[in-house]
Amino acid sequence: MKKVILLLSVIFLFTSCGEYQKVLKSKDIGLKYSTAENLYNEAKAGEGNSRRKYRKALRLFEQLVPEFRGKPQGQKLTFMFADTYYELNDYFLAGYQFERFVESYPESEKLEEAAFKGAKSYYFLSPAYYLDQTETIKGISKMQEFINRFPESERMDEANKLATELRVKLERKTYEIAKQYHHTESYVAAITAFDNFISQYPGSPFREKALYYKFESAYLYAINSYAYAMPERLANAREYFEDYQRYYPEGEYIEMANTALKDIETKEQQL
């Protein structure tokens, strides 16, 4: 009977924005909790303006979380608090709050969902490949922690997919740095950078490109050398061609590589 009366009170208080402000300023913690939970559940169910309801619930959660820390209701409240940030796309605070939840409630039935959403928050925070990748690295770490901790999770396919996307982003940044050396004609630095990339990321989708541009860097470096240095550098370029051809005999760049090889052979005969 008390629950029915309380629910009717919550519905009544929702009749105007002014009534919500009264709840917000009220000292009745139970009423605030019920109002916040109701707003959260309605937003979760897609009733009305979900974002507005999440924002209203969030203001109440911010007041309630310190009050319920260490109490039985604290676990549910902390999860709803973190999830509200997540639903509002505030992934920095969502990630932080989900981390706190995972640390505070390791036996919770919501542990798996919280760990996944926390890791996914860092996935969303990961910037474009050409920017600082601190959040990307953290996202990979958090997603790998989830994969290791919940190997039977139904979220495993998505977790692996997101982790792969983040890794590829890191690989692309490293590859593009090497490519920039190539474009600026810093061929020795390019060869070293591509070599390091190939060693560090042997299964990368950029591996073929890296092998080809390593060869092209060596080829351009050789043909633009003084005559006394050219034979050794042409031989190195030929070796890098063979690496590319061995792995990608019908690769995207094989025709250009073959054309460059013919030029290498011609110059070797002239020398």
Side-chain angles (χ1 to χ4, degrees), residues 94-138:
Y96 173 73
Q97 293 299 336
F98 277 126
E99 279 187 284
R100 291 187 62 187
F101 180 89
V102 169
E103 291 171 2
S104 301
Y105 305 104
E107 304 300 323
S108 172
E109 63 179 17
K110 289 285 190 179
L111 183 67
E112 181 187 322
E113 182 180 354
F116 180 71
K117 285 186 172 179
K120 196 171 180 179
S121 294
Y122 289 104
Y123 166 83
F124 287 126
L125 286 171
S126 173
Y129 76 89
Y130 49 82
L131 299 174
D132 179 78
Q133 294 299 303
T134 300
E135 300 299 341
T136 303
I137 293 168
K138 189 164 186 178

Side-chain angles (χ1 to χ4, degrees), residues 59-257:
R59 294 185 66 188
L60 292 168
F61 287 144
E62 288 171 343
Q63 295 180 3
L64 291 166
V65 168
E67 297 288 338
F68 285 91
R69 190 167 289 123
K71 297 179 181 178
Q73 303 96 321
Q75 180 181 149
K76 183 177 182 180
L77 185 63
T78 303
F79 180 86
M80 291 191 294
F81 185 41
D83 198 44
T84 299
Y85 277 125
Y86 185 85
E87 294 294 343
L88 288 171
N89 302 335
D90 189 340
Y91 297 118
F92 181 81
L93 288 175
Y96 173 73
Q97 293 299 336
F98 277 126
E99 279 187 284
R100 291 187 62 187
F101 180 89
V102 169
E103 291 171 2
S104 301
Y105 305 104
E107 304 300 323
S108 172
E109 63 179 17
K110 289 285 190 179
L111 183 67
E112 181 187 322
E113 182 180 354
F116 180 71
K117 285 186 172 179
K120 196 171 180 179
S121 294
Y122 289 104
Y123 166 83
F124 287 126
L125 286 171
S126 173
Y129 76 89
Y130 49 82
L131 299 174
D132 179 78
Q133 294 299 303
T134 300
E135 300 299 341
T136 303
I137 293 168
K138 189 164 186 178
I140 293 170
S141 175
K142 290 296 179 183
M143 199 61 73
Q144 193 59 53
E145 284 178 20
F146 174 83
I147 291 168
N148 294 341
R149 190 169 187 174
F150 303 99
E152 303 300 323
S153 172
E154 63 182 16
R155 299 177 173 89
M156 187 56 62
D157 287 346
E158 184 179 2
N160 281 315
K161 176 178 176 292
L162 298 180
T164 297
E165 286 183 25
L166 293 176
R167 290 191 186 98
V168 169
K169 187 180 290 187
L170 281 184
E171 291 169 14
R172 184 177 181 186
K173 180 166 187 175
T174 306
Y175 165 77
E176 293 292 347
I177 290 171
K179 185 92 173 285
Q180 187 64 23
Y181 286 130
H182 174 80
H183 283 325
T184 56
E185 300 181 5
S186 301
Y187 297 126
V188 174
I191 292 166
T192 301
F194 283 125
D195 207 29
N196 290 337
F197 176 85
I198 293 162
S199 298
Q200 187 175 358
Y201 303 111
S204 173
F206 301 105
R207 185 169 183 270
E208 180 186 351
K209 288 180 169 64
L211 280 168
Y212 171 74
Y213 283 112
K214 178 184 173 183
F215 159 63
E216 187 174 86
S217 294
Y219 162 66
L220 293 172
Y221 181 54
I223 64 173
N224 288 288
S225 299
Y226 290 110
Y228 73 87
M230 197 177 289
E232 181 181 355
R233 293 172 184 176
L234 287 172
N236 288 336
R238 177 190 286 276
E239 181 181 331
Y240 298 152
F241 167 83
E242 290 170 356
D243 287 341
Y244 176 77
Q245 185 187 49
R246 180 166 61 255
Y247 290 107
Y248 302 99
E250 297 180 1
E252 179 181 355
Y253 304 98
I254 194 64
E255 289 187 13
M256 290 189 293

Side-chain angles (χ1 to χ4, degrees), residues 39-63:
L39 282 163
Y40 171 83
N41 288 334
E42 286 187 358
K44 203 74 175 170
E47 297 178 17
N49 188 330
S50 294
R51 288 191 64 82
R52 185 182 179 192
K53 290 185 176 182
Y54 276 127
R55 285 194 293 268
K56 284 187 171 183
L58 183 62
R59 294 185 66 188
L60 292 168
F61 287 144
E62 288 171 343
Q63 295 180 3

